[in-house]
Amino acid sequence: MSTLTSFDETEGPDGTHKSDNVPVRDRIPSIKEVYSEQSPLVDKTLYQTINLPRNISFGCENKQYRTQYLATFIVTIGGFIMGTTLGWTSPAGPMMKNGQYGFHITDDDISWIASCMPLGAILGCPFMGGLVNILGRKRLMIMLTIPALLGWAMIIWADSVTIICIGRILNGFASGSYSVIVPQYTAEIADNEIRGTLGTYFQLQVFSGILFTYVIGSYLDVFGLSIACAIVPVVYFCLMFFVPESPIFYLTKGNIIKARWSLKYFRRPFGQVDQELITMQDSLAKTKREKVPIMKAFQTTPAKRGLFLGLGVMVFMQFTGCNTVIFYTTTIFNASSSSISSNLSTVIVGIMAVLSTYVSTLVVDKLGRKILLLYSVIAMGICTFLIGGFFYAKDSNYDVSSIGFIPLVSLCVFIILFSMGFGPIPWMLMGEIFPPQIKGIASSIVCMANWFFVFLATKFFTLLVDTIYLYNTFWLYTLVSVLGTFFVVFIVPETKGKTMEEIQLLLGA
C-alpha cells in the first residue's frame, strides 16, 4: 500500500520539488489539485476547527520570528528614507538662508521647499495603489530608489530654488510611495503575534531618519548633509535583493511554489507552512469569488468603516500638533530659559522620538493598539493645553520665570506619547483594516489624505499663528485632541492578535 509523500519530503534545497525521483503513484497531487477550491484541503471546516499548538517551540520562539524581524528592518529602511526627506529642511533651512547654495533663498522659498515634499508624496500614492499588485511589493520598493536618488542629485547640484523644489517633489514621490507599500508588505509577512510590533518599525525608521538629519546637519554643510542622505537609497537598493517577495503577491499571481518558498523563509525554522498557505489561498479565492466593481466594493460596510477609520487616525495624527511641537522645539527650549543650544535641542527631541517609538514596538502587541492611541491622544491634549497656557501668560506679560519648566516638560511628554501612539500606529492600522478587494486603492487614498494634511500643516501654520496667535493655535490642537479621544473610544477597534479575516468581521463583514 503506497503512502502519500508530503510537501517537505519532496522539496529540494532550492525550494522546488523532487518530482523526478518519486514514482507517479507515490507523488502528492498536483499543486492545482491540492489548492483548487474543489479540493477538500480548502474546506473551511478543516482549518477552522484545527487549533495547532503555538507553544511547541522548543525554546526557539525568537528564532522563529528572526527572519521576519530582519526582513522588516530592511524593508522599513524605506521609512528611514522618508525620514531623511522630512527632516532635511530643519538643518538645511538656516544653511540655505546663509547663502551656502550661492544664490539668494528667502523664507518664503524655504517654506515652499519644505511643502514640495508632501506635494510629491500626494502624487506618488495613487500610482502605488494600481502598481503594487501588478509589479509586486519588492520590485516597486527597489524601483523607488531611482526617483529618490534623482531627487537628491538635483538638490546637491541645484542652481536655483526651482531645481531644489523639483528634487524635493521627487523625494516626496518616493516617500509617499513607501508609505503605501511598506506597511502593506509588513502586514502580509508577519505572524499575528508580532504583526503589531513589526508594524511600528516603519515609524521607528521614519524618526530614525529625522534624527539622522539632525545629527549630520550639526556637523556638515548643506551639501554634505544631502550627500549623506543620498547614500541611504543606495544601501537600501543593495539590501532589498536579500528580501523575498510577499507570499500574498505570489499567490495572487498563481505561483504557489514561490509563495510556499517565501512563507517558509519567514516561518523558519518551522518549515511546515502548508496549512497557513491553504488559509491564505482560500482567503484569496473567496476574495476572487466575491470580486465586484471597485465602486461597489467601497460601498460595503467593512470598506466604509475601514476608510473612515484610516482617514480619521491620519487627521488626528497631523492636526493634534505634532508638526507644530517639533517645529517650535527651539522656541520652547528658549522660553524655558534652557541653556541648551538649538542644534542640541532638536537632537534631543529626535532621540526621544526614536526611543519612544522603540518602546512602542515592545508593548503594542501586549497592551494593544487602542489603549496606546488613547493614552497618546489624551497626553497630547494636556501638553498642548499647558504649552498654550504658558505662551498666553507670557504674551500677557505675566512673570513666567517660576513655571519655565512647564513647556519643556510638556514638549518631552508630548513627543514621547506621540511616538508611542499616534506616531506609529496609524501606519500599522493601514496594513490591517482594509478588505483585500480595495487594500491597494484604499491605502493610497489614506496616504494621499495624510500627505495633504502634512502640506496644510506645514505650509499654513505660520498664517494660523499670525491670525489667532500661538497660544490659541496650541489650544486649537487641544480641541482636536478632545475630538480624537472620542474617536478612539467609540470608533477605533482593537486589532491586537486578530487575523485579517477576524478584523474584517470586526468591521462588519
Side-chain angles (χ1 to χ4, degrees):
M1 182 177 178
S2 64
T3 58
L4 185 67
T5 308
S6 73
F7 269 139
D8 295 286
E9 289 170 343
T10 60
E11 185 179 39
D14 58 352
T16 59
H17 293 287
K18 301 180 286 187
S19 55
D20 296 337
N21 301 325
V22 182
V24 174
R25 61 186 178 86
D26 292 338
R27 287 169 56 188
I28 61 174
S30 69
I31 295 297
K32 182 178 290 187
E33 292 172 338
V34 171
Y35 289 106
S36 68
E37 291 187 47
Q38 290 75 29
S39 170
L41 291 180
V42 191
D43 185 352
K44 295 181 181 180
T45 60
L46 179 64
Y47 59 81
Q48 287 183 345
T49 56
I50 296 178
N51 295 317
L52 296 180
R54 295 186 178 272
N55 296 326
I56 304 179
S57 57
F58 305 105
C60 300
E61 184 177 355
N62 292 333
K63 292 183 179 179
Q64 178 184 3
Y65 299 140
R66 183 174 55 193
T67 51
Q68 295 177 51
Y69 285 122
L70 177 62
T72 301
F73 174 79
I74 293 174
V75 167
T76 54
I77 293 176
F80 192 98
I81 294 172
M82 176 175 146
T84 58
T85 305
L86 284 168
W88 179 83
T89 51
S90 180
M95 300 179 193
M96 290 188 287
K97 286 180 64 177
N98 291 336
Q100 290 192 13
Y101 267 105
F103 51 86
H104 184 60
I105 299 178
T106 65
D107 286 333
D108 188 60
D109 291 332
I110 293 175
S111 173
W112 276 109
I113 289 170
S115 303
C116 280
M117 184 270 175
L119 288 178
I122 292 173
L123 296 176
C125 292
F127 282 96
M128 296 308 106
L131 292 177
V132 70
N133 287 326
I134 298 175
L135 298 179
R137 292 75 163 134
K138 175 181 176 178
R139 188 176 302 172
L140 275 177
M141 287 186 279
I142 293 174
M143 291 171 61
L144 285 169
T145 58
I146 296 174
L149 286 171
L150 286 176
W152 285 118
M154 296 182 75
I155 290 171
I156 292 168
W157 289 291
D159 57 6
S160 68
V161 173
T162 301
I163 298 299
I164 298 177
C165 287
I166 294 173
R168 290 283 293 169
I169 288 174
L170 287 173
N171 282 342
F173 180 91
S175 298
S177 302
Y178 282 128
S179 69
V180 175
I181 303 170
V182 174
Q184 182 174 342
Y185 178 93
T186 305
E188 289 177 350
I189 69 168
D191 273 305
N192 294 333
E193 292 82 1
I194 61 168
R195 193 175 65 237
T197 298
L198 299 186
T200 58
Y201 273 35
F202 182 75
Q203 187 67 26
L204 177 63
Q205 291 274 28
V206 172
F207 279 134
S208 298
I210 294 173
L211 176 60
F212 176 81
T213 61
Y214 289 170
V215 174
I216 298 298
S218 300
Y219 296 97
L220 302 179
D221 62 10
V222 68
F223 303 105
L225 171 63
S226 302
I227 291 170
C229 293
I231 293 174
V232 181
V234 177
V235 174
Y236 188 55
F237 178 87
C238 298
L239 290 177
M240 278 301 299
F241 287 99
F242 296 97
V243 176
E245 178 58 89
S246 160
I248 294 291
F249 174 72
Y250 282 135
L251 286 178
T252 60
K253 295 301 180 182
N255 195 333
I256 299 174
I257 297 294
K258 286 189 176 180
R260 187 170 181 277
W261 173 84
S262 174
L263 193 60
K264 286 195 72 172
Y265 173 87
F266 292 119
R267 301 299 182 259
R268 290 178 183 174
F270 307 106
Q272 302 292 338
V273 297
D274 294 338
Q275 183 158 326
E276 185 175 358
L277 197 65
I278 291 170
T279 304
M280 290 181 176
Q281 176 74 2
D282 185 60
S283 178
L284 289 173
K286 179 183 176 183
T287 300
K288 190 173 182 180
R289 287 195 304 269
E290 298 174 354
K291 188 175 182 180
V292 294
I294 193 65
M295 293 307 297
K296 189 174 180 180
F298 272 99
Q299 295 173 8
T300 63
T301 299
K304 290 178 181 178
R305 290 191 64 184
L307 194 59
F308 179 69
L309 177 60
L311 292 173
V313 292
M314 291 302 181
V315 165
F316 294 113
M317 178 184 181
Q318 297 302 332
F319 293 121
T320 48
C322 63
N323 292 296
T324 303
V325 169
I326 294 173
F327 183 81
Y328 260 81
T329 296
T330 302
T331 301
I332 294 173
F333 267 81
N334 292 337
S336 62
S337 302
S338 173
S339 59
I340 301 175
S341 67
S342 59
N343 283 338
L344 183 57
S345 67
T346 53
V347 170
I348 291 173
V349 168
I351 292 173
M352 285 193 299
V354 170
L355 293 179
S356 303
T357 308
Y358 177 70
V359 172
S360 180
T361 68
L362 301 178
V363 301
V364 68
D365 279 316
K366 296 179 176 65
L367 298 180
R369 288 77 158 136
K370 186 165 183 168
I371 193 67
L372 286 177
L373 286 175
L374 187 60
Y375 287 158
S376 177
V377 73
I378 291 174
M380 289 190 298
I382 294 173
C383 291
T384 52
F385 178 80
L386 292 175
I387 294 173
F390 176 86
F391 281 109
Y392 174 79
K394 188 175 182 181
D395 291 351
S396 301
N397 297 318
Y398 288 101
D399 182 12
V400 295
S401 58
S402 61
I403 57 171
F405 66 93
I406 288 180
L408 185 57
V409 172
S410 298
L411 168 73
C412 296
V413 174
F414 184 101
I415 293 296
I416 291 171
L417 269 297
F418 173 80
S419 302
M420 292 182 64
F422 261 96
I425 292 179
W427 297 109
M428 182 190 64
L429 285 176
M430 197 175 65
E432 295 181 331
I433 59 178
F434 295 119
Q437 298 96 325
I438 64 166
K439 178 170 283 191
I441 295 178
S443 297
S444 299
I445 292 173
V446 171
C447 283
M448 284 179 64
N450 174 71
W451 289 113
F452 179 67
F453 300 150
V454 172
F455 171 75
L456 293 179
T458 54
K459 180 60 184 172
F460 298 107
F461 168 72
T462 304
L463 178 63
L464 187 64
V465 172
D466 291 340
T467 304
I468 64 173
Y469 307 110
L470 182 59
Y471 56 86
N472 280 327
T473 302
F474 276 102
W475 285 341
L476 180 61
Y477 294 142
T478 300
L479 176 61
V480 176
S481 295
V482 172
L483 297 176
T485 301
F486 287 103
F487 182 85
V488 172
V489 171
F490 295 106
I491 303 297
V492 177
E494 179 55 74
T495 60
K496 179 186 72 172
K498 292 181 172 60
T499 65
M500 298 299 187
E501 292 77 14
E502 289 170 340
I503 293 172
Q504 290 307 300
L505 291 174
L506 196 64
L507 293 173

